[in-house]
Amino acid sequence: MELHCFKLCNGLKKENFLKKRKGHLGEALKPLRLATGMSQEEFAHRCKLDRSFMSDLETDKKGPSLLTIFKLAKGLGMKAKDLVGEIEENIDFDSIFEEEPEK
């Protein structure tokens, strides 16, 4: 996720946040897609995203921009805030901030 506040919070760099949250977006996104009965290709088309990018999102090789989160939510027929809530349920924020701040 392009969450710039994480770069500022406690000195934790965005790259470290992305490494720490590995697995969380895909853990939320893929089951939501499967519950709709859509293939990855159908879902990507519905979201107006490339299928390979969708695969990268579901396997956490890439994180979504804010615009992509809105596209994903629309493709799933839900509000972006609800999708973010699903993702948030899979992230242990306390463990993300346990590491020492970078200097």
Side-chain angles (χ1 to χ4, degrees):
M1 292 179 159
E2 293 293 324
L3 298 175
H4 298 288
C5 67
F6 286 100
K7 189 170 184 180
L8 303 174
C9 295
N10 296 328
L12 182 64
K13 290 187 176 181
K14 179 181 74 170
E15 296 78 23
N16 292 343
F17 170 73
L18 292 173
K19 286 179 193 170
K20 287 268 194 171
R21 65 117 195 115
K22 189 161 180 67
H24 301 300
L25 174 66
E27 287 175 14
L29 187 59
K30 187 173 181 178
L32 290 169
R33 173 183 60 80
L34 292 174
T36 68
M38 282 186 280
S39 69
Q40 194 177 72
E41 188 170 348
E42 291 170 315
F43 184 41
H45 180 73
R46 184 180 228 182
C47 296
K48 300 189 183 342
L49 298 170
D50 186 80
R51 198 230 29 99
S52 64
F53 180 64
M54 186 65 72
S55 175
D56 288 346
L57 292 173
E58 287 190 356
T59 57
D60 290 303
K61 292 178 182 170
K62 293 188 178 174
S65 66
L66 185 56
L67 177 60
T68 300
I69 289 173
F70 278 93
K71 288 180 176 185
L72 294 169
K74 185 175 182 179
L76 290 166
M78 61 194 315
K79 293 184 180 233
K81 69 178 186 172
D82 296 328
L83 176 57
V84 170
E86 291 286 333
I87 296 166
E88 186 177 19
E89 297 228 349
N90 289 297
I91 296 176
D92 179 6
F93 283 102
D94 292 333
S95 69
I96 292 170
F97 291 108
E98 285 176 358
E99 72 179 56
E100 291 294 316
E102 295 193 21
K103 297 178 183 186

